[in-house]
Every structure is written in structure tokens, then in C-alpha cells.
Amino acid sequence: MSVEDRVLIAGAGPVGLVAAANLVRNGVPVTVLEAGSDLSEESRASTFHPPTLDMLERLGAAQPLIAQGLPAPAFQYRSKQHGVLAQFDFGTIADVTGHPYRVQCEQSKLTRILHEQLRGHADFELQFGAQVREVTQSAAGVQVEIASNGRSETRSGRWLIGADGAGSAVRRSLGIPFEGFTWPERFLVVSTPFDFSAVIPDLVAVSYVTDAVRWHFLLQIPGLCRVMFPIAPDESDKLTLRPDFAQSLMAMVVPGIANYEIAHVTLYKVHQRVAKTFQHGRAFLVGDAAHINNPLGGMGMNGGIHDAINLTTRLVDAWQGKTKNGSKTGELERYDMQRRLVTLEYIEKQSIQNKRNLESDGTEFRRTLAEIVADKGRTYDYLLRVSMIASLRRAQELG
Ligand SMILES: Cc1cc2nc3c(=O)[nH]c(=O)nc-3n(C[C@H](O)[C@H](O)[C@H](O)COP(=O)(O)OP(=O)(O)OC[C@H]3O[C@@H](n4cnc5c(N)ncnc54)[C@H](O)[C@@H]3O)c2cc1C
């Protein structure tokens, strides 16, 4: 088969567009195939961690994101009975990041910033309404069958990056199992313009509240606070999406305050799944196509962006013929080895632990937090871990 001299990317979410941006700025032509008719508006990720901001800085996207977001230099754990249990300040790790804070900003802002920067570039092509269906490969490249405007089309490239989200057609077509489980609970996100900092003493922009019955967290983004609650399996979707149900949950957040103005309510299923491999020949999986996890700690999209940078840096080297031992595949295989391992060791493990901590009765978690806060070395290591710097270091160590 004849192969177009470019890299194909399925999906124009935050991960697919970061991959595109890193390839294009290094002179690699890219075609992004996006099933939707426009970039997604869905309100999902809203936290960007320090090393992700460092990566976006190199792509020229960090400053516009920060300008539209809310820098959050600290986060805290609280309980209803004890108030603030512990507060952590990213300034402690300012020696290892150019951005010692999280930025609270919706992921749809990032995709628009990147698209704006890429559009019109000679090496960048984005096809909306192009749903990837099937992937076939040869020794020289990858062929993708897409459904577009009711017709079937074929595109080809030297490599394919599957950034097409949790239901990835690329992953399915390659026959890669998505191993893991789905939690029995779902999560409900209620967004309100209410200013909680006026009524909760010492509240910071990111606050996790432990409770054995109905833990929740409060995440401030510009103009809105997102409050997330677990929903038990016996609470039906119909009940959960009733306005009075959201109000009843919100009424538990601050005693004596009820009838919130609610901007939107969204119910999510929650999974922990990792693809059996992130590479199959000339096709790769990144972001939610490769791994999904619960949103506690804000690591899904961030981890996906870390995948995209790791992989595309290798693809740029391969494109430019800079390879170790003349072997292109050896370098590319390290992507799967590094990123899959840290996904399991850090993202999956930490997000599960975060959920366990919040839903526990709090006794052991309070003790652990007190020990971490009392020890400067442990505080520093803890911040490296939650900011995801430790996972990037671990990937590097794997060589
Ligand atoms: C409530 C909630 C809160 C979250 N908060 C955070 C957070 O704070 N921080 C964090 O890091 N993560 C968070 N996440 C996770 C985060 O939203 C995802 O990890 C992130 O969206 C993954 O990006 P992606 O580009 O891999 O996939 P997606 O954002 O799902 O994008 C995939 C794209 O591919 C397109 N597509 C799908 N199928 C096809 C196809 N067959 N052909 C072509 N295109 C296709 C889709 O239309 C979409 O545009 C949260 C998730 C939820 C649900």
C-alpha cells in the first residue's frame, strides 16, 4: 500500500491535540481525525498539574491557559468534624517545576487554545466528522478506514496515535483488551456560582472532604465551584438527576445553606482500566484510549498529556532518523514500557488510594496526613507524587 508521509491521530481531545502540537512544532506533518463536528464542550477535567504546565509551556500553550484559569498554589483535606486536616503548598517543590501550582481550568479551554495555534499551519490538518472505524497495518505504515458524511474513506500514515477516548475504536480494532473494573458507585458533579470561601473558613481552591457516607470535593474554576459526590448503586439515574436531589446533596456541604443556584449537574460512571499494551506495530494508544481512572487527584488527562509528550518525542526522533542502534522500533517500544508501567504504579494506584482515603471513617487517614505534614522530607515526596512529578521520574529511570 502507498503511505501518506504523515502521522495520523484519531481524536481531537486534549491528548490528541497535545500530540499534534508536539509533532507539528518539530516539523512532522499530522492529520487529526475527529468524529465530532467540533471540539468537545463537555465539562470534565479541570486540573492541570505542575509538570503538565511545564510541558504545555514548551508548546506555547501554558500562558494562555493560565490566563483563562485559576492558579491554585495549595490544596487541602478536610472533614466536617475537624475542619482542615492538612494543607499542602506546591511552593515546597518550586525547585523542580517552573509552575509550583495547579491550574484550575476546563479541558475544553486547552483544546481551543491548541487548535487556534495549530490551524493554518502547513503541517497540520484536522478533519471533523471523521469517525475512525478500522485500522490495518503494513511494514511501512497504517491505514485507517473512516466514516465521513455517510461515506467510507481511507487515510494512511507512517504511524497512528489512538487518542480517541475511553471507547477507542483504534483499541478495539487492534483487539487490545481494556483490563480493569467499573466502580459500583457513580459520581455526580454539581456546578454552582456560589462562593464557598465566604462561608467555609480557610477554604482554598481545591478541597477534598472525607466522610464515610457522602465524601465530596470542592474544586474552584473561574466563575464556578464544582462539587463532586459519590452516588450509591441503589440511587437510580432518574432520582439522581432530579434538581431536588442535587439540592439535597448540596445542603449537606455547609449546614444552614440550601437552595443553591445550580449551573449544571452531570452524572459519570467511574472506571479503572488499563489497555493490555499501549503499542501494536505502528499504532499507539494514548490518554483515555490507553487508561482510565477515577477523577480523584485529577490524573487522567494529565497522565494522557504525559503519554502524548513521551510518545511524540520518540516519533520525532524516528521521523528525523535519530535512533539508537539504527533501530526505530526499540525506541518506540520504550513508550509502552515506560508509560504503561507508571500508569499502573502511579495513576491507577494513587487514584484508588485517594478514593479509599475519602470514603474511610478518616481515623487512619488523619494519622497518615499528620505524619506527612510533621516530616519535611515526606511532605516533599508526597507533593512530588500528587503533582505526578514522581511518575515522570520513574518513567525516566526505566530508560
Ligand atoms: C468528572 C470528571 C472530572 C475529571 N477531572 C479531571 C481532572 O481534573 N484532571 C485530569 O487530568 N483528568 C480529569 N478527568 C479525566 C479527563 O477528562 C480525561 O482523562 C480526558 O478527557 C482524556 O482526554 P483524551 O484526549 O484522551 O480523550 P477525550 O477527551 O475523551 O477525547 C477523545 C476525542 O476523540 C474523539 N473520538 C472518539 N471516538 C472517535 C473515533 N472513532 N474517531 C475519531 N474521533 C473519535 C472524541 O469525539 C473526542 O474528541 C476527569 C473526568 C471526569 C469524567
Side-chain angles (χ1 to χ4, degrees), residues 110-320:
L110 176 67
T111 49
R112 276 160 184 76
I113 290 166
L114 291 168
H115 186 219
E116 205 49 50
Q117 291 178 342
L118 285 164
R119 70 196 306 171
H121 197 292
D123 283 336
F124 178 72
E125 180 191 13
L126 170 56
Q127 203 177 325
F128 284 114
Q131 187 182 20
V132 171
R133 289 251 172 100
E134 288 288 331
V135 179
T136 47
Q137 304 196 44
S138 70
V142 183
Q143 208 164 36
V144 163
E145 188 203 308
I146 52 175
S148 179
N149 296 324
R151 288 206 310 271
S152 181
E153 279 179 32
T154 303
R155 293 295 303 257
S156 67
R158 282 212 231 163
W159 291 286
L160 168 68
I161 300 177
D164 50 344
S168 174
V170 171
R171 190 185 65 236
R172 283 170 207 260
S173 178
L174 296 170
I176 299 173
F178 206 27
E179 296 172 336
F181 64 92
T182 300
W183 294 99
E185 314 90 306
R186 289 144 296 144
F187 287 1
L188 189 77
V189 181
V190 182
S191 302
T192 174
F194 185 77
D195 178 11
F196 284 99
S197 65
V199 295
I200 301 180
D202 306 317
L203 187 73
V204 295
V206 179
S207 186
Y208 298 95
V209 184
T210 67
D211 190 84
V213 180
R214 197 79 84 171
W215 57 263
H216 56 274
F217 68 67
L218 300 150
L219 286 188
Q220 190 66 45
I221 57 172
L224 284 177
C225 185
R226 304 178 77 199
V227 192
M228 182 181 279
F229 304 92
I231 301 298
D234 60 355
E235 292 170 320
S236 71
D237 288 8
K238 199 171 158 207
L239 166 77
T240 308
L241 291 168
R242 271 180 19 201
D244 59 333
F245 185 82
Q247 289 290 359
S248 72
L249 295 183
M250 293 292 279
M252 290 191 253
V253 175
V254 186
I257 300 186
N259 294 323
Y260 285 85
E261 181 185 341
I262 291 178
H264 31 87
V265 174
T266 322
L267 184 63
Y268 296 94
K269 281 192 180 146
V270 194
H271 315 267
Q272 306 282 158
R273 293 186 188 277
V274 180
K276 183 112 181 142
T277 174
F278 289 7
Q279 179 186 9
H280 188 288
R282 290 180 165 269
F284 300 87
L285 300 176
V286 291
D288 277 18
H291 49 84
I292 47 177
N293 54 271
N294 79 65
L296 296 172
M299 292 184 286
M301 173 196 65
N302 283 273
I305 291 174
H306 302 177
D307 297 340
I309 295 293
N310 184 310
L311 172 62
T312 51
T313 305
R314 293 169 195 287
L315 289 177
V316 168
D317 281 352
W319 187 275
Q320 295 172 350

Side-chain angles (χ1 to χ4, degrees), residues 76-94:
Q76 63 188 194
Y77 293 105
R78 309 178 72 103
S79 77
K80 285 186 194 154
Q81 306 93 307
H82 303 90
V84 179
L85 303 178
Q87 183 162 314
F88 294 94
D89 184 344
F90 289 105
T92 306
I93 53 167

